[in-house]
Amino acid sequence: MGDLPPDLDRLQVIRLYLQLQLDAVDAKIRESEQKAKGGALGSPKPPKPEPFGDSDIGFRIQHVPRGGTLGAVVHRDDCPDAAGGRISRHEVEIALRMPEVTMCPRCHPGSD
């Protein structure tokens, strides 16, 4: 990777973006594996993780394609629609400042 910015906020945004990309690749791999097995499409729900240390609530960020661009939805771990990679409360705050990232309308992760 080329030169990285020195400040923490931009580094965290880059990390979050790369996590979104990795989640998208993982979803495509699962989809391709299901097709190769002749199984039904749709990814299985990830196992419910242990919560983060000082918080009772963990968070996930799910890649969502939006008209050819990268988008994402942030979920609480206890949301029935939760999918994607785990992120911290601080990363949720950073993610929700990004225009392409939204809160899940079902669990409202940024409202607690």
Side-chain angles (χ1 to χ4, degrees):
M1 187 170 219
D3 291 331
L4 293 172
D7 60 292
L8 183 59
D9 280 345
R10 286 192 292 171
L11 288 169
Q12 289 175 326
V13 168
I14 290 169
R15 181 189 176 283
L16 182 62
Y17 174 79
L18 293 173
Q19 180 67 49
L20 289 171
Q21 291 295 310
L22 184 57
D23 290 345
V25 170
D26 288 345
K28 265 306 192 199
I29 288 171
R30 285 190 302 274
E31 181 180 312
S32 294
E33 288 172 345
Q34 287 293 326
K35 284 182 182 178
K37 291 179 184 176
L41 288 180
S43 56
K45 192 166 204 96
K48 189 169 182 176
E50 294 298 314
F52 282 91
D54 63 343
S55 170
D56 292 334
I57 301 169
F59 302 94
R60 291 191 171 269
I61 189 157
Q62 175 185 15
H63 168 75
V64 179
R66 292 191 178 129
T69 63
L70 177 67
V73 177
V74 176
H75 298 276
R76 292 166 45 125
D77 272 343
D78 59 357
C79 177
D81 299 331
R86 294 204 64 212
I87 60 174
S88 69
R89 180 178 300 277
H90 181 67
E91 289 169 322
V92 168
E93 293 167 5
I94 292 170
L96 292 176
R97 286 186 259 161
M98 301 169 68
E100 57 276 340
V101 178
T102 59
M103 287 191 290
C104 170
R106 192 171 192 177
C107 67
H108 304 284
S111 62
D112 47 282

